[in-house]
Amino acid sequence: MTVKGIKGFSKLSKEGKTEWLIENYFDEPEKALQTLKGYWHSDASIQKLHDEFIENTLTNYYMPFGVAPNFLINGKMYCLPMAIEESSVVAAMAKAGNFWLERGGFKAEVISTKKIGHVHFVWRGKDSSNLRRFFDSIRQKFIDETNDITKNMRARGGGILDVELVDRSDLEPNYYQIKGSFETCDSMGANFINTILEKWSSILEKYISTTTLLSEEDRQIEVIMCILSNYTPECIVRAEVSCPVDMLTEGTDMSAEDFCENFVRAVHVAEIEPYRAVTHNKGIMNGVDSLIIATGNDFRAIEACVHAYASRSGTYKSLSHVEIKDGMFRFYIELPLSLGTVGGITSLHPMVKFSSELLGNPSARELMQIVAVAGLAQNFSALRSLTTTGIQKGHMKMHLLNILNQFEATQEEKVAIIDSFKDRIPSYQLALEEFCKLRGITVDEFVKKQ
Ligand code: MEV
């Protein structure tokens, strides 16, 4: 199909947009329409809410929402809400929750909560000490002239922590920043920070154009942009688990020493080998993202930040660490997590409100701790499987249903095939063979029909 572009698409009604789309891109428009409509919410007011979250909404995109109970964090029991599509992640999380519940649970602590934003600008003067003198003379204006914007945040204990001039002209000719540090309490703070930065940009332009501290030539600036930074290396939470080494393999026939040796080596590999570190950290993000999405936070911001943080030494490294000392096993993680429990879609999305209530309506600080624990727990489960049974045993067991659904197996066929893998690890090929055997057809015949 050759599709012509369309002008004014966003102005069309939802029906108009849908019609244009399915007529132009689908061989079977009626089927495509049914797919879209099948995901509309039966409650028109909830559908309207979703329609208004973004532009050009046509329908909803579902993700499974599961829970992992039995998480003891700082002495309090939680059931973790998780929105994720990957088969084995919730099972792995639940396993870690149970495992550590019997060993004292998780401890977590918020280390810092500072957020950063910049007015990026160009100043072409020769002597930056003149610019600094001017900045110092108006520094207080950045605070005073944004008092109306910061009033509510100050009442909640937050606001502007600092405002500085930063000279980055060694990296890019004539490049400077007004760098702001902020405390945004229970909100992630993007709108608050960006509003202040845009105001700062106009304050800067207003005062520099009339200052007598700079020559007329040096009173020119060009603002490049005003934006918060999603890199938050000073918004840090730490989570850890620990127990006597002997307790690690209780109930198994494995020695605690062997387990520890493999586990410690696996973490060290992720500390020195970026190829492994990326996969190791991806496993951590399985836990982090599923909670971030369930609680309506910005997973793109968290992902970008966490990976930058993992590279802060100049080499991409593991986010988790392990220590064996005096017969104790200690496994811990430090994550930069800028989260919100107010603002954004937190008070709008029904499932986000549900997740929040499930967690006891936590503050942003409490949520940081819960999410860091989720990352650590997921990592623990992955490493435990990888260094003992191998990952495929648990993963393929969970993924088997997806494969059988792909074959459109009946409920009876599913039960029989799952049972046939009781004592062996499934794979796509083995599942296919088992399925065809049950249907009395050859694999070739089935594949040809697909
Ligand atoms: C799969 O989603 C995540 C793992 O690859 C993580 C890891 O290797 O540590 C199992």
Side-chain angles (χ1 to χ4, degrees):
M1 268 184 205
T2 324
V3 182
K4 286 206 193 99
I6 177 168
K7 285 224 155 54
F9 181 75
S10 67
K11 306 268 179 322
L12 295 177
S13 66
K14 187 168 169 179
E15 288 68 29
K17 286 172 190 157
T18 305
E19 202 173 300
W20 179 85
L21 191 86
I22 62 171
E23 290 301 336
N24 281 287
Y25 286 95
F26 292 87
D27 293 334
E28 295 178 76
E30 204 39 50
K31 197 169 155 206
L33 182 62
Q34 285 321 310
T35 303
L36 287 181
K37 282 189 168 174
Y39 283 89
W40 283 357
H41 202 284
S42 55
D43 180 334
S45 66
I46 293 182
Q47 188 52 55
K48 188 157 188 304
L49 201 62
H50 281 254
D51 287 353
E52 291 175 359
F53 281 145
I54 60 168
E55 189 158 284
N56 299 340
T57 312
L58 301 182
T59 188
N60 309 303
Y61 183 93
Y62 287 5
M63 275 241 240
F65 178 94
V67 295
N70 299 328
F71 269 78
L72 182 64
I73 306 173
N74 295 340
K76 184 171 165 188
M77 282 296 276
Y78 293 91
C79 179
L80 307 188
M82 300 175 72
I84 188 154
E85 87 300 342
E86 192 176 325
S87 323
S88 53
V89 171
V90 178
M93 186 76 101
K95 228 171 164 179
N98 283 329
F99 184 91
W100 286 105
L101 179 61
E102 289 162 15
R103 290 160 180 80
F106 295 81
K107 290 193 188 70
E109 183 191 1
V110 172
I111 309 295
S112 49
T113 54
K114 193 195 278 184
K115 323 259 167 96
I116 302 294
H118 302 95
V119 178
H120 302 268
F121 69 97
V122 169
W123 180 72
R124 298 180 198 281
K126 294 274 169 299
D127 184 352
S128 63
S129 64
N130 291 336
L131 181 66
R132 191 161 296 283
R133 207 169 316 118
F134 157 72
F135 172 80
D136 288 343
S137 77
I138 64 155
R139 189 181 170 283
Q140 191 58 34
K141 309 274 186 204
F142 292 108
I143 315 279
D144 296 344
E145 295 191 21
T146 47
N147 265 340
D148 50 339
I149 307 171
T150 59
K151 192 169 168 226
N152 284 340
M153 191 62 87
R154 280 185 286 118
R156 281 155 41 204
I160 299 166
L161 302 177
D162 200 6
V163 49
E164 303 160 68
L165 174 71
V166 183
D167 181 350
R168 299 293 260 170
S169 59
D170 53 328
L171 299 174
E172 165 76 20
N174 310 315
Y175 169 42
Y176 295 83
Q177 305 166 340
I178 303 292
K179 175 183 171 191
S181 308
F182 305 90
E183 169 56 58
T184 60
C185 304
D186 281 335
S187 67
M188 187 265 199
N191 286 331
F192 173 73
I193 294 174
N194 288 336
T195 305
I196 292 174
L197 294 172
E198 289 187 4
K199 179 76 185 176
W200 281 1
S201 158
S202 57
I203 293 171
L204 180 65
E205 280 173 332
K206 178 174 78 177
Y207 287 104
I208 204 165
S209 65
T210 55
T211 183
T212 52
L213 294 172
L214 294 170
S215 66
E216 195 177 340
E217 208 182 11
D218 284 356
R219 281 182 215 138
Q220 311 299 320
I221 55 157
E222 294 142 45
V223 171
I224 305 166
M225 60 191 153
C226 308
I227 189 75
L228 93 159
S229 173
N230 286 124
Y231 187 42
T232 57
E234 292 173 277
C235 184
I236 298 289
V237 55
R238 183 183 297 146
E240 73 166 68
V241 280
S242 62
C243 73
V245 162
D246 298 345
M247 283 180 80
L248 283 171
T249 51
E250 262 174 9
T252 72
D253 48 15
M254 197 175 182
S255 89
E257 287 67 33
D258 283 353
F259 176 84
C260 280
E261 194 177 322
N262 277 346
F263 195 98
V264 168
R265 193 160 284 147
V267 175
H268 285 173
V269 168
E271 280 165 345
I272 57 167
E273 169 54 79
Y275 276 95
R276 173 56 201 153
V278 170
T279 318
H280 178 100
N281 289 346
K282 185 275 182 188
I284 291 170
M285 299 315 284
N286 278 343
V288 169
D289 282 343
S290 56
L291 256 96
I292 295 291
I293 294 170
T295 57
N297 274 279
D298 181 343
F299 62 93
R300 288 85 57 208
I302 296 298
E303 282 282 343
C305 178
V306 160
H307 298 299
Y309 189 72
S311 316
R312 67 195 183 285
S313 66
T315 306
Y316 188 91
K317 288 185 176 181
S318 165
L319 291 156
S320 64
H321 308 281
V322 65
E323 181 185 274
I324 314 276
K325 212 168 146 197
D326 303 329
M328 287 295 284
F329 169 90
R330 191 166 85 90
F331 184 46
Y332 60 101
I333 196 167
E334 239 179 53
L335 290 176
L337 293 176
S338 168
L339 303 181
T341 51
V342 299
I345 61 162
T346 53
S347 58
L348 294 175
H349 197 296
M351 286 310 299
V352 171
K353 288 199 278 184
F354 180 94
S355 298
S356 186
E357 194 173 340
L358 177 64
L359 292 172
N361 295 316
S363 65
R365 292 175 76 93
E366 190 179 351
L367 186 61
M368 284 169 76
Q369 299 177 22
I370 299 168
V371 173
V373 163
L376 185 71
Q378 197 66 39
N379 190 217
F380 179 78
S381 271
L383 291 177
R384 192 159 181 255
S385 298
L386 285 165
T387 57
T388 54
T389 56
I391 204 74
Q392 286 306 80
K393 187 168 175 229
H395 182 74
M396 288 309 293
K397 206 166 141 191
M398 297 303 301
H399 190 55
L400 182 57
L401 264 180
N402 286 344
I403 297 175
L404 298 179
N405 282 334
Q406 241 174 311
F407 300 160
E408 297 181 359
T410 65
Q411 191 54 32
E412 292 77 46
E413 286 168 336
K414 285 182 197 171
V415 171
I417 296 170
I418 289 168
D419 191 56
S420 79
F421 284 106
K422 242 184 6 221
D423 303 315
R424 57 193 177 125
I425 301 174
S427 70
Y428 182 89
Q429 186 59 27
L430 288 176
L432 179 61
E433 284 165 14
E434 205 59 48
F435 172 76
C436 290
K437 196 165 86 191
L438 211 60
R439 287 232 168 150
I441 52 171
T442 67
V443 167
D444 275 354
E445 280 168 348
F446 178 71
V447 171
K448 261 193 216 119
K449 266 208 285 178
Q450 289 298 94

